[in-house]
Amino acid sequence: MPRFATPSRPISAQHHLTEFYREEFLKHKRCLQRQRPYYSQSAITDVEAALTRIMGQLETLCTKDNADQVVSTLLKKIDLVTGLSSWSDPKQTH
């Protein structure tokens, strides 16, 4: 009898996780756009390509058991470029 792979997370939890991370990456994309004058065109192009690739794979990434770890690592790497976390108001942090 054939076996079918099922997602590690329930679909509704996966959807919420995917949407949460998608919004986080969109925040970084908007932040990058505001910083466009300070980076070379090639740097902007490279980071935008990385963001597009990550966002295109989010649904798949969020099905993995280690999704939080993998996506958090990607967000940290993007944050090194955008510096978005340093712009956050510490009073708004939960």
Side-chain angles (χ1 to χ4, degrees), residues 9 14 16 26 32 35 46 50 58 73 75 79 91 94:
R9 298 175 189 271
Q14 176 186 328
H16 292 299
L26 285 171
L32 183 66
Q35 297 177 29
D46 290 348
L58 266 179
T73 299
L75 278 167
D79 189 65
K91 296 175 195 164
H94 297 276

Side-chain angles (χ1 to χ4, degrees), residues 22-69:
R22 186 175 316 282
E23 184 56 38
E24 292 302 304
F25 283 108
L26 285 171
K27 288 177 188 177
H28 282 280
K29 193 170 188 173
R30 289 189 295 265
C31 184
L32 183 66
Q33 291 306 313
R34 289 190 301 266
Q35 297 177 29
R36 187 175 279 279
Y38 307 107
Y39 288 100
S40 69
Q41 184 57 41
S42 99
I44 295 289
T45 301
D46 290 348
V47 176
E48 286 177 335
L51 283 167
T52 300
R53 189 169 49 253
I54 291 166
M55 291 173 69
Q57 296 175 359
L58 266 179
E59 287 186 33
T60 302
L61 289 171
C62 288
T63 64
K64 308 294 181 192
D65 287 332
N66 63 344
D68 294 330
Q69 181 182 4

